[in-house]
């Protein structure tokens, strides 16, 4: 993979103010507000709310990073002719989409770590070394379905439509996945929806890890299935976008 | 060696035939202008050379290979008709990124100088004027030191000053022994910046030679006058007229018999004719004659 391409992909997102506010600032601010409101309460399983919230807001930050760095920028590049300009260089098509995915994953990491840092520094959250070693990679790689979804949206829709669709998908995944309100307070139907969404399974892995409980295999299986399905759709959408007439 | 070879190439979009049996070859090291009105098939031809479009029929070869292969090997550089830059990246970052994709690129400072961008290297692409952005796209096209440089309407958004500098950069590049093909509908640009002018209309070649040869090949005269907002209908039916061009209220009639045309213009129409002038054919007129709708 050409390092130069990855480098400019990262640079441009980190220089985008809207992106930094949505992905860098919002999750941390939400975390601080919520943790200060009810962080000391203990929720079922004996975990303190500020730990539980670290997972929820970290998951939200990671979800936002993976979708905002893919859907709209990608739709724009297709429509504005930037992609065509890349296509007349020696850069292979497969490398373009792969770099997009890798750069989205690289951007997830700081978003996730910022929330964790805020939790550790302001709320004194502490986990065992083993818990951290499981939590961070799981919450990092668990964003593959969302990055793939972003690329699907960006490949199939024009910018004007991709923008609202990406936003709505992101908020729906966050809300129905229980990232903003704990799933325990959801009505039954919402819970049923949450149960099939990748965002719930994804965060649920994190919630189990911080509680010191075993991760339900069904959560991991669901995230993997979503990653495979959305990944395949992303490849299909990308092929369509670069097809030569 | 042939840098470009179209062999009986046709390309249709549904019912529309954009390129119709095009045969054209370009020897390596020459600078060729592909001249034609909008819709003549210029962009379609350029995009086929880049592998962005596939011919419906016939064969396109670039440097003796398929277009895809030539592009993958970094032997082709192109400035497409449109293409925005990434607003958050600087000029230097953008150009350097592209040059590093090629196996044997030019030196970065050399590219920036050739495209007249040295003073803008640190500016973000989002803060460039349209003309400046076009210069960046030119820099991206030459960055990899391609054997074949393709430019599709490269000066469309440039002012006069930028155009002059742009063509100086292009000639600088061509002087290194590279092959350049540029599409344009500006006759003067074709005349001043190429070794060979290929006039295309309705998807095929209608004239091919140096600018001087093309001018000589078209006889006749041209009648110019100010039409203003009066209707142009019927002008093409006047005696002797072979083509009608109207631009910003100024009419140009190509004619084989200027006397008959002028007489009929005054007697046979109710138009108010002002600023009448009769001239021999120049390249502009040759072009109009060659590309008129038959």
């Amino acid at each position: 993979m050409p390092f130069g391409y990855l480098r400019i992909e990262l640079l441009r997102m980190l220089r985008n103010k809207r992106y930094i506010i949505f992905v860098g600032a919002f999750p941390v601010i939400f975390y601080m507000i919520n943790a200060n409101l009810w962080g000391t309460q203990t929720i079922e399983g004996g975990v303190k709310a500020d730990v539980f919230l670290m997972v929820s807001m970290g998951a939200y930050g990671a979800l936002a990073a993976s979708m905002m760095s893919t859907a709209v920028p990608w739709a724009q590049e297709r429509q504005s002719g930037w992609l065509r300009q890349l296509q007349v260089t020696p850069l292979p098509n497969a490398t373009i989409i792969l770099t997009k995915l890798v750069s989205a994953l690289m951007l997830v990491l700081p978003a996730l770590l910022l929330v964790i840092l805020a939790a550790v520094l302001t709320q004194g959250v502490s986990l065992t070394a083993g818990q951290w070693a499981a939590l961070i990679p799981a919450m990092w790689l668990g964003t593959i379905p969302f990055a793939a979804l972003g690329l699907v949206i960006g490949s199939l829709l024009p910018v004007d439509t991709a923008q609202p669709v990406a936003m709505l998908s992101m908020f729906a995944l966050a809300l129905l996945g229980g990232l903003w309100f704990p799933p325990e307070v959801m009505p039954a139907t919402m819970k049923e929806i949450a149960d099939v969404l990748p965002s719930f399974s994804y965060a649920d892995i994190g919630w189990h890890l911080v509680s010191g409980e075993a991760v339900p295999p069904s959560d991991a299986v669901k995230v993997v299935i979503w990653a495979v399905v959305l990944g395949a759709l992303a490849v299909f959408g990308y092929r369509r976008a670069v097809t030569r007439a | 060696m042939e840098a470009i070879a179209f062999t009986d190439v046709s390309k249709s979009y549904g019912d529309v035939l954009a390129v119709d049996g095009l045969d054209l070859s370009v020897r390596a090291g020459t600078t060729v202008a592909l001249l034609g009105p909008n819709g003549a098939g210029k962009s379609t031809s350029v995009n086929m050379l880049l592998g962005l479009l596939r011919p419906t029929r016939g064969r396109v070869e670039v440097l003796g290979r398929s277009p895809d292969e030539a592009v993958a090997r970094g032997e082709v550089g192109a400035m497409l008709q449109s293409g925005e830059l990434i607003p958050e990246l600087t000029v230097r970052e953008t150009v350097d990124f592209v040059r590093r994709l090629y196996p044997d690129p030019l030196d970065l400072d050399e590219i920036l100088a050739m495209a007249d961008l040295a003073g803008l290297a640190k500016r973000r692409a989002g803060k460039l004027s349209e003309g400046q952005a076009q210069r960046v796209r030119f820099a991206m096209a030459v960055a990899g030191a391609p054997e074949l440089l393709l430019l599709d309407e490269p000066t469309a958004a440039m002012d006069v000053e930028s155009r002059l500098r742009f063509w100086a950069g292009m000639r600088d590049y061509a002087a290194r022994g590279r092959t350049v093909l540029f599409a344009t509908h500006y006759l003067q640009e074709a005349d001043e910046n190429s070794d060979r002018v290929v006039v295309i209309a309705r998807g095929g070649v209608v004239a091919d030679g140096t600018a001087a040869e093309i001018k000589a090949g078209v006889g006749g005269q041209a009648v110019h006058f100010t039409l203003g907002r009066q209707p142009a209908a019927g002008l093409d039916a006047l005696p002797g007229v072979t083509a009608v061009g109207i631009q910003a209220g100024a009419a140009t009639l190509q004619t084989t018999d200027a006397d008959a045309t002028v007489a009929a213009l005054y007697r046979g129409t109710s138009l108010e004719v002002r600023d009448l002038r009769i001239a021999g054919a120049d390249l502009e007129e040759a072009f109009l004659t060659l590309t008129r709708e038959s």
Side-chain angles (χ1 to χ4, degrees), chain A residues 15-16 80 85 90 244-245, chain B residues 51 54 68 83-84 88 93 137:
Chain A
R15 283 180 187 165
N16 183 313
S80 74
Q85 293 182 114
R244 283 123 201 250
Chain B
R54 304 269 182 241
D68 285 2
E84 279 171 30
E88 294 92 356
E93 285 161 352
R137 296 201 293 113

Side-chain angles (χ1 to χ4, degrees), chain B residues 56-156:
Chain B
T56 315
R57 201 188 70 209
R59 207 154 70 122
V60 181
E61 273 185 71
V62 174
L63 301 158
R65 312 172 207 291
S66 75
D68 285 2
E69 247 181 302
V71 168
R73 293 167 62 110
E75 294 171 338
V76 186
M79 184 171 168
L80 303 174
Q81 213 175 75
S82 64
E84 279 171 30
L85 305 170
I86 302 290
E88 294 92 356
L89 297 177
T90 67
V91 169
R92 174 180 273 272
E93 285 161 352
T94 306
V95 176
D96 197 36
F97 153 60
V98 173
R99 73 178 270 283
R100 285 171 190 277
L101 297 173
Y102 288 82
D104 190 15
L106 296 179
D107 182 68
L108 180 58
D109 291 324
E110 192 182 359
I111 302 166
L112 294 176
M114 199 188 299
D116 196 21
L117 289 168
L120 295 171
K122 288 184 180 155
R123 187 166 303 182
R124 296 246 178 118
K127 296 206 152 66
L128 297 174
S129 72
E130 183 53 36
Q132 289 167 335
Q134 265 184 309
R135 269 145 60 195
V136 175
R137 296 201 293 113
F138 173 68
M140 290 162 65
V142 298
E147 285 300 318
L148 172 64
L149 178 63
L150 300 171
L151 310 165
D152 192 1
E153 307 265 359
T155 61

Side-chain angles (χ1 to χ4, degrees), chain A residues 108-127:
Chain A
V108 163
L109 211 47
L112 183 61
L113 292 177
L114 274 175
V115 175
I116 290 177
L117 205 65
V120 172
L121 295 180
T122 69
Q123 308 299 316
V125 166
S126 81
L127 298 178

Side-chain angles (χ1 to χ4, degrees), chain B residues 15-46:
Chain B
D15 291 343
V16 183
L17 198 56
V19 170
D20 186 5
L22 181 67
D23 274 302
L24 175 67
S25 55
V26 173
R27 218 179 53 243
T30 47
T31 300
V32 175
L34 202 56
L35 178 63
N38 291 332
K42 301 190 298 291
S43 288
T44 302
S45 304
V46 170

Side-chain angles (χ1 to χ4, degrees), chain B residues 225-233 235 246 249 270-274:
Chain B
F225 63 95
T226 303
L227 184 65
R229 292 182 173 188
Q230 303 174 86
L235 288 177
I246 311 267
S270 57
L271 295 172
E272 189 185 320
V273 177
R274 286 178 291 121

